[in-house]
Amino acid sequence: MTQPTRRQIIREETTQEILDTARAQMAERGAAALSLRAIAREMGMTAPAIYRYFTDRDALVTALIGQAYESLRQALEEAHQQNLQEGARKQLLAVGMAYREWGVSHPAEYALIFGTPIPNYHAPEETTVPLARSALGVLINVIQEGLQSGELRPLEEYAALSPGLREEQGDIDPQVHLALALWGHVHGLTSLELYNHLQSLVEDPAELFRLELLSKVEFLFSKDSKQ
């Protein structure tokens, strides 16, 4: 394997420093205020020099989105791997809790990929869609494995929705239906917490999240499946 040259190492380190500085700027002022010139000034670089790393603000934003999705995917996958010896329900609970914990500990990145769109920025779907799918894919895989083993079985009331949905939207796999239903629930609660809509209503958002997640898992999956 060819060792990277000193020039390549310096370029990679500088690229990462730019991204780290951008994240700090984003956390302080919001993604819409990102500025390559401001980042260059903070790093002691000239404006023309930083454009050798990112051609424009949109390229920088896309790179930040990529790292955010990968960070989320890693957090979910780690929760999954740490609970491989547990049942599918406990794996779902662990992955769901990891989603909230990632959002709470990465509020700027969460807002970047799930919050208000940045004015005049259009995410390149060929780059961002696969990244989003890879993160949700962790949840889909847990459900798929549980369905295949018989450990998870959708409630009849929910399974009955599939024919109508398939007629309207095409052939969508059951695990995708179930993953979207569960993701919508955990995402909604996480967003309510991060955007301070629970502040005056709930003393312990983490406990509310845990109880609601448990309730949703029990709603989606029949209790008489194999344990």
Side-chain angles (χ1 to χ4, degrees), residues 96-97 99-101 103-104 110 181-199 202 204-216:
M97 291 300 296
Y99 185 94
R100 174 195 171 271
E101 289 163 6
V104 170
Y110 186 95
L182 189 56
W183 175 54
H185 201 65
V186 300
H187 177 74
L189 286 170
T190 302
S191 296
L192 285 173
E193 179 180 358
L194 285 177
Y195 300 130
N196 298 319
H197 296 299
L198 297 179
Q199 200 170 30
V202 179
D204 188 350
E207 180 62 9
L208 170 68
F209 187 94
R210 187 188 70 80
L211 292 173
E212 282 296 312
L213 178 59
L214 179 62
S215 174
K216 189 66 173 180

Side-chain angles (χ1 to χ4, degrees), residues 8-226:
Q8 289 171 327
I9 292 172
I10 292 174
R11 181 174 181 83
E12 290 175 3
E13 290 176 346
T14 303
T15 299
Q16 189 56 54
E17 185 180 355
I18 292 170
L19 290 166
D20 291 341
T21 305
R23 262 190 294 274
Q25 189 181 97
M26 187 171 63
E28 182 180 347
R29 307 170 202 166
L34 280 173
S35 164
L36 282 171
R37 288 182 176 273
I39 293 168
R41 188 164 53 248
E42 186 170 336
M43 291 177 59
M45 297 176 69
T46 63
I50 200 169
Y51 286 101
R52 292 201 292 266
Y53 294 87
F54 294 98
T55 55
D56 54 24
R57 182 208 63 168
D58 286 5
L60 174 64
V61 170
T62 300
L64 288 167
I65 289 173
Q67 287 197 344
Y69 271 124
E70 177 58 18
S71 174
L72 173 59
R73 186 199 66 78
Q74 289 179 1
L76 301 184
E77 184 59 36
E78 182 178 353
H80 179 207
Q81 292 298 321
Q82 288 177 348
N83 289 272
L84 282 178
Q85 303 306 314
E86 304 290 345
R89 277 189 177 79
K90 288 187 177 179
Q91 290 180 34
L92 287 176
L93 292 173
V95 170
M97 291 300 296
Y99 185 94
R100 174 195 171 271
E101 289 163 6
W102 183 86
V104 170
S105 60
H106 298 79
E109 289 91 335
Y110 186 95
L112 176 66
I113 58 179
F114 296 127
T116 303
I118 300 172
N120 301 316
Y121 171 74
H122 302 285
E125 292 186 1
E126 67 277 8
T127 301
T128 57
V129 170
L131 291 167
R133 285 177 175 168
S134 70
L136 184 59
V138 178
L139 183 59
I140 292 174
N141 289 340
V142 174
I143 292 175
Q144 184 175 25
E145 291 166 5
L147 292 175
Q148 289 175 343
S149 69
E151 187 178 353
L152 296 179
R153 184 166 63 81
L155 286 175
E156 292 182 5
E157 293 88 341
Y158 190 82
L161 296 175
S162 294
L165 287 170
R166 290 188 176 197
E167 184 176 339
E168 292 181 10
Q169 302 180 20
D171 189 18
I172 302 176
D173 292 330
Q175 63 266 23
V176 177
H177 282 166
L178 294 163
L180 288 172
L182 189 56
W183 175 54
H185 201 65
V186 300
H187 177 74
L189 286 170
T190 302
S191 296
L192 285 173
E193 179 180 358
L194 285 177
Y195 300 130
N196 298 319
H197 296 299
L198 297 179
Q199 200 170 30
S200 61
L201 302 172
V202 179
E203 290 186 6
D204 188 350
E207 180 62 9
L208 170 68
F209 187 94
R210 187 188 70 80
L211 292 173
E212 282 296 312
L213 178 59
L214 179 62
S215 174
K216 189 66 173 180
V217 169
E218 293 302 329
F219 171 77
L220 290 174
F221 300 105
S222 173
K223 292 183 179 180
D224 62 0
S225 53
K226 292 190 296 183

